[in-house]
Amino acid sequence: MPHTLNSYWLSALILAALLLPASGAPVKDALTESPAGDPSGEGEMPSDLLSDSPRWGPFLAITKYHRKEFEDEFKDDVKYHFLENYKISSATASCPMSNFSKEACLLRLVHGLQTYEVLLRHVVKEYPSKLILSGFKYRSDSMISLIKEKMRHPERVSALSSNQEETLLREVDNPNIFHRKMTAHSILRQFHFFLVDSLVSLRKKEMLKGSMS
């Protein structure tokens, strides 16, 4: 079922609430990477949950203001919900809430990051001044390494082949400038939902596992 504009903000609020540290620290602190070796709070033990990792902060920052950026660029000429017409079929779906193991969810997260790493090249091509995307591959590789540490079978992770990458980029290419820009914005929009929905699901699975142990 397509996301509505209200669900866009609702999902972000849900994620922000779930990522709040137990101490009640502000959300912005929870999503900001601390300097190496600097604990997140005085006298507090850092969380071992993947969903609590500050490494998610830079990824969330990429799409945090996307809707406003889109509306500032196109004003009233193109409505935000118009991006529903430009969904990328090859983009990885988010980790579902139920009927999906934590291991399968982690594998889905890795594949999703690998896929968006390629798709975001199209965004950079259309919007080269979007500096927030610089260094994405480094951050993505770092996050994938962390996810693999949490997996029981990290050997199941495989990199995308050059043919797979070329197929992804061919799907989003178009000779029409307007269509290319709409596709770039659609990628950012789908990336947002992938992150938020998957992290909420992962958080639920980690908390459920913790309550059972």
Side-chain angles (χ1 to χ4, degrees), residues 128-157:
S129 62
K130 200 169 181 62
L131 297 178
I132 197 168
L133 292 177
S134 62
F136 180 82
K137 178 173 172 51
Y138 170 80
R139 293 194 296 269
S140 178
D141 289 346
S142 175
M143 177 57 73
I144 288 173
S145 295
L146 179 61
I147 295 173
K148 289 171 68 175
E149 291 176 9
K150 305 292 184 179
M151 296 178 68
R152 294 195 304 271
H153 300 286
E155 70 278 2
R156 294 178 180 172
V157 173

Side-chain angles (χ1 to χ4, degrees), residues 10 13-14 16 25 33 47 49 53 63 66 80 83 88 95 107 121 136 148 154 159 162 173 188 210 213:
L10 178 60
L13 287 171
I14 292 173
E33 290 190 84
S47 171
L49 299 181
S53 172
T63 62
H66 175 246
Y80 192 68
L83 294 178
I88 314 302
C95 180
L107 191 59
R121 294 180 200 168
F136 180 82
K148 289 171 68 175
S162 57
D173 194 22
L188 289 171
S213 60

Side-chain angles (χ1 to χ4, degrees), residues 111-204:
H111 187 263
L113 290 175
Q114 291 173 330
T115 300
Y116 280 105
E117 182 181 311
V118 177
L119 291 175
L120 286 169
R121 294 180 200 168
H122 175 81
V123 181
V124 173
K125 183 179 177 181
E126 295 304 312
Y127 293 95
S129 62
K130 200 169 181 62
L131 297 178
I132 197 168
L133 292 177
S134 62
F136 180 82
K137 178 173 172 51
Y138 170 80
R139 293 194 296 269
S140 178
D141 289 346
S142 175
M143 177 57 73
I144 288 173
S145 295
L146 179 61
I147 295 173
K148 289 171 68 175
E149 291 176 9
K150 305 292 184 179
M151 296 178 68
R152 294 195 304 271
H153 300 286
E155 70 278 2
R156 294 178 180 172
V157 173
S158 59
L160 297 182
S161 67
S162 57
N163 286 337
Q164 288 174 311
E165 292 185 2
E166 290 171 6
T167 298
L168 285 169
L169 292 175
R170 276 198 304 269
E171 181 186 350
V172 298
D173 194 22
N174 193 295
N176 184 281
I177 296 176
F178 176 78
H179 291 316
R180 291 202 307 269
K181 287 186 178 296
M182 288 297 103
T183 299
H185 280 289
S186 180
I187 290 170
L188 289 171
R189 184 173 184 266
Q190 285 184 247
F191 187 40
H192 168 84
F193 287 124
F194 170 78
L195 287 174
V196 172
D197 294 346
S198 292
L199 278 172
V200 169
S201 178
L202 177 62
R203 178 68 168 180
K204 178 182 177 182

